[in-house]
């Protein structure tokens, strides 16, 4: 039975080892970017802007369209013009045509010498089964710069979308690095707590043995037991923290929450901290600059509404139908061309006010960029200071940990020969555990501050 349990245990252990997924920092970033919904939205927005740019660019080229119509009615149209006698006219001495009047009646109505007889007309119009088909071409010649301004605005919109995609990617990378280094911190914290618990357990066994032989008082064993219980509780907390950090990393990179993940290269090389930076490399700054360019083109677009515009249209088509008194009126193809010109004259200052409003928006965009520029410079200096401080903290905590380890060894040796009390020895162990925890936190904070600094200076890829 024991052998079976051993085999089962070995199988489960080997299964966990082989099913565990090891993730590097680069792989973590790559998976996080692929999984991020915000990154996908930003990417689709860029594609949308590219298609809009192409659609506006198509306005430079002529539009071709085909049109056709067919009409059917159940009735014909009949129209009669009554006949009768019509007056006549004769030329005078100057050659002008004057009424051919014989005399005038007492009521003033004229009596003509001659009359012309009009027999009247009957019109039988048959519009049934009339149809038309043709091809039309429309080409703008001059639209006041509207098409060019619209195309440039669409191009700028594409640039802004690409910059936003880059900014979103940087935000995702920072989030991925936070999840990664939090797991590194939690993993190393578990190792530190386990080692501390092992030391306390060894001390508890030694103290308990000494109590059993009557060398020391039982109260010393109780003190160590309290420390051991604290170590066990801290180990439970550390394991829980590692489990949550692992789940958070799985969430960020798009893996199932139950996936067993481990991280490596936690001791990767640090970057060199550049002292000089270019604020214009930030996507936020570039987006604001593009916004200013967009407002400039918007002013041109508004101005185009109040400038002359011209276009040409040509059409070739065939018409058939519409009979009058049995004779078909249309049964041929024809070509037609038309030039259209529109010149705005007076709009009570509407155009001027709209253009001034657009220029005011441009000025607002310039002021926003100036304000954001100062904020970005302040942010860079803050992140730079945090990076320098965390770098120093790593060095100091490393030195403190070495001193705490040496102090704990000395306390152990002195305690064994009875030169220090148990309380002093336990205090040295507590100081060692605290120094180790601070060293772990300092390393993780330093690596995360590296990422934030690269993002701040616009060099995070």
């Amino acid at each position: 039975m024991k052998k079976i349990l051993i085999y089962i245990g070995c199988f489960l252990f080997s299964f966990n080892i082989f099913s565990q997924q090891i993730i590097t920092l680069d792989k973590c970033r790559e998976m996080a970017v692929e999984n991020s919904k915000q990154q996908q939205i930003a990417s689709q927005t860029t594609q949308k802007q590219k298609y809009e740019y192409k659609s506006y660019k198509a306005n430079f080229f002529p539009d071709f369209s085909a049109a056709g119509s067919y009409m059917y009615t159940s009735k014909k149209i009949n129209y009669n013009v009554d006949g009768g006698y019509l007056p006549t006219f004769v030329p005078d001495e100057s050659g002008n045509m004057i009424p051919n009047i014989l005399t005038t009646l007492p009521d003033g109505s004229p009596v003509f010498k001659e009359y012309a007889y009009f027999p009247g007309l009957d019109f039988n119009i048959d519009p049934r089964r009339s149809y038309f088909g043709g091809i039309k071409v429309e080409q703008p010649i001059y639209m006041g710069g509207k098409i060019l301004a619209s195309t440039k605005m669409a191009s700028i919109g594409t640039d802004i979308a690409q910059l936003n995609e880059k900014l979103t990617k940087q935000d995702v990378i920072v989030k991925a690095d936070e999840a990664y280094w939090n797991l590194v911190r939690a993993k190393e914290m578990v190792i530190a707590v386990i080692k501390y618990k092992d030391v306390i357990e060894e001390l508890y066994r030694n103290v308990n043995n000494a109590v059993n032989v009557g060398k020391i008082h039982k109260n010393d064993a109780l003190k160590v037991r309290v420390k051991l219980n604290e170590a066990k509780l801290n180990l439970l907390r550390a394991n829980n923290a590692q489990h949550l950090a692992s789940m958070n990393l799985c969430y960020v990179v798009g893996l199932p929450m139950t996936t067993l993940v481990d991280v490596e290269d936690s001791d990767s090389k640090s970057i060199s901290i550049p002292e000089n930076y270019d604020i214009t490399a930030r996507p936020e700054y570039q987006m604001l600059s593009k916004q200013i360019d967009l407002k400039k083109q918007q002013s041109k677009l508004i101005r185009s509404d109040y400038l002359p515009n011209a276009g040409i249209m040509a059409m070739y088509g065939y018409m058939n139908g519409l009979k009058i008194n049995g004779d078909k009126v249309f049964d041929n193809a024809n070509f037609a061309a038309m030039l259209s010109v529109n010149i705005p004259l007076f709009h009570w200052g509407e155009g001027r006010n709209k253009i001034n409003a657009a220029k005011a928006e441009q000025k607002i965009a310039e002021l926003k960029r100036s304000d954001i520029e100062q904020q970005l410079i302040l942010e860079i200096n803050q992140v730079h200071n945090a990076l320098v401080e965390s770098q120093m903290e790593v060095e100091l905590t490393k030195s403190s940990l070495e001193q705490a380890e040496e102090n704990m060894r000395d306390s152990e040796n002195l305690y064994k020969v009875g030169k220090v009390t148990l309380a002093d020895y336990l205090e040295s162990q507590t100081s060692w555990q605290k120094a180790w925890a601070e060293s772990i936190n300092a390393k993780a904070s330093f690596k995360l501050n590296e990422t934030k600094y690269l993002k701040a200076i616009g060099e995070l890829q």
Side-chain angles (χ1 to χ4, degrees):
M1 187 66 183
K2 290 182 178 179
K3 290 182 178 180
I4 293 175
L5 293 176
I6 291 174
Y7 290 150
I8 293 175
C10 292
F11 173 76
L12 293 176
F13 176 76
S14 61
F15 177 78
N16 288 334
I17 291 297
F18 289 109
S19 63
Q20 190 177 54
Q21 184 169 350
I22 299 177
I23 299 178
T24 64
L25 180 59
D26 292 336
K27 185 65 176 178
C28 176
R29 290 179 173 183
E30 179 182 350
M31 295 175 67
V33 171
E34 292 178 355
N35 177 66
S36 173
K37 297 298 185 292
Q38 295 300 321
Q39 183 66 27
Q40 295 174 17
I41 292 173
S43 178
Q44 290 299 319
T45 303
T46 300
Q47 293 299 322
K48 169 179 169 291
Q49 289 297 134
K50 288 181 179 179
Y51 291 134
E52 288 189 355
Y53 168 71
K54 291 180 180 179
S55 68
Y56 281 107
K57 191 176 180 181
N59 291 325
F60 286 105
F61 305 100
D63 289 338
F64 294 85
S65 59
S69 62
Y70 177 83
M71 183 179 67
Y72 173 81
T73 61
S74 60
K75 294 183 179 181
K76 298 180 180 180
I77 301 174
N78 296 317
Y79 182 74
N80 299 322
V81 180
D82 295 333
Y85 291 95
L86 303 177
T88 60
F89 291 80
V90 294
D92 61 4
E93 295 177 355
S94 301
N96 298 322
M97 301 301 293
I98 61 174
N100 188 13
I101 300 174
L102 176 62
T103 183
T104 302
L105 297 177
D107 60 358
S109 58
V111 177
F112 293 90
K113 294 181 180 180
E114 296 178 354
Y115 289 90
Y117 177 72
F118 174 66
L121 289 176
D122 291 330
F123 289 97
N124 185 4
I125 302 174
D126 184 6
R128 297 179 299 175
R129 298 180 180 86
S130 299
Y131 59 90
F132 166 80
I135 297 177
K136 181 174 63 174
V137 181
E138 296 176 286
Q139 173 65 55
I141 299 176
Y142 178 73
M143 302 302 292
K146 182 187 294 293
I147 298 176
L148 182 61
S150 300
T151 305
K152 287 185 177 180
M153 288 179 67
S155 177
I156 295 172
T158 302
D159 295 338
I160 293 176
Q162 290 175 339
L163 290 170
N164 181 65
E165 187 176 356
K166 180 180 179 181
L167 178 61
T168 303
K169 181 180 179 181
Q170 291 182 349
D171 293 336
V172 172
I173 290 176
V174 172
K175 186 177 180 180
D177 282 19
E178 287 178 348
Y180 182 89
W181 293 115
N182 282 338
L183 181 55
V184 170
R185 177 192 287 121
K187 177 184 174 183
E188 294 187 358
M189 197 66 71
V190 169
I191 297 174
V193 174
I194 290 176
K195 189 170 183 180
Y196 175 74
K197 186 178 75 69
D198 292 342
V199 172
I200 295 297
E201 285 179 342
E202 178 66 21
L203 177 61
Y204 179 72
R205 284 192 295 269
N206 294 335
V207 171
N208 199 37
N209 291 334
V211 171
N212 292 334
V213 298
K215 289 185 177 180
I216 59 176
H217 195 270
K218 186 178 180 180
N219 186 46
D220 289 344
L222 294 176
K223 292 180 181 179
V224 179
R225 183 65 187 179
V226 170
K227 289 292 184 180
L228 181 59
N229 291 337
E230 292 179 355
K232 291 180 178 179
L233 179 60
N234 290 335
L235 179 58
L236 176 62
R237 290 172 176 170
N239 284 324
N240 289 338
Q242 182 180 3
H243 179 65
L244 291 176
S246 177
M247 292 181 65
N248 182 56
L249 182 62
C250 290
Y251 167 74
V252 171
V253 300
L255 293 174
M257 293 292 190
T258 55
T259 305
L260 296 176
V261 295
D262 193 12
V263 290
E264 62 178 24
D265 73 355
S266 58
D267 294 328
S268 57
K269 295 181 180 180
S270 300
I271 64 171
S272 58
I273 304 176
E275 296 294 335
N276 299 323
Y277 56 85
D278 183 10
I279 192 67
T280 60
R282 288 284 295 266
E284 298 94 325
Y285 183 89
Q286 296 178 10
M287 290 173 67
L288 290 172
S289 298
K290 292 294 182 180
Q291 287 288 347
I292 296 174
D293 295 338
L294 191 66
K295 297 301 181 183
K296 291 179 180 178
Q297 296 302 322
Q298 186 176 0
S299 298
K300 295 180 180 180
L301 182 65
I302 295 175
R303 184 182 291 108
S304 67
D305 291 334
Y306 302 93
L307 293 177
N309 58 80
I312 189 172
M313 181 186 71
M315 183 174 61
Y316 183 83
Y318 173 78
M319 181 178 292
N320 187 290
L322 189 60
K323 295 180 179 179
I324 298 179
N325 295 335
D327 295 330
K328 187 179 292 187
V329 178
F330 300 108
D331 185 13
N332 57 356
N334 60 73
F335 173 81
M338 181 178 67
L339 175 66
S340 175
V341 178
N342 179 35
I343 303 176
L345 296 178
F346 187 69
H347 294 276
W348 301 98
E350 177 186 8
R352 181 178 65 255
N353 292 327
K354 285 186 176 181
I355 293 173
N356 289 335
K359 290 182 178 180
E361 290 184 359
Q362 177 183 337
K363 186 62 178 179
I364 292 173
E366 292 174 352
L367 292 173
K368 285 183 178 180
R369 185 182 67 176
S370 178
D371 182 54
I372 293 297
E373 181 178 0
Q374 301 302 316
Q375 295 182 27
L376 294 179
I377 294 175
L378 178 61
E379 179 188 352
I380 291 174
N381 282 274
Q382 289 176 338
V383 176
H384 179 267
N385 292 340
L387 179 59
V388 174
E389 292 171 3
S390 61
Q391 188 177 32
M392 179 175 291
E393 186 179 6
V394 170
E395 298 174 357
L396 295 177
T397 54
K398 180 180 179 181
S399 177
S400 298
L401 178 59
E402 294 173 353
Q403 294 176 3
E405 289 176 346
E406 182 179 358
N407 181 50
M408 186 181 66
R409 288 193 298 268
D410 293 341
S411 297
E412 181 181 5
N413 295 331
L414 293 175
Y415 172 73
K416 289 179 179 179
V417 297
K419 292 186 177 181
V420 297
T421 63
L422 177 63
D424 294 333
Y425 182 30
L426 291 175
E427 183 180 356
S428 67
Q429 291 176 338
T430 303
S431 299
W432 167 69
Q433 183 194 22
K434 181 180 178 182
W436 197 349
E438 290 176 348
S439 177
I440 293 172
N441 289 327
K443 289 179 181 178
S445 297
F446 174 67
K447 301 302 295 185
L448 187 56
N449 283 332
E450 279 185 341
T451 302
K452 291 182 178 180
Y453 181 70
L454 289 175
K455 179 180 181 296
I457 62 177
E459 296 184 6
L460 183 61
Q461 303 294 334

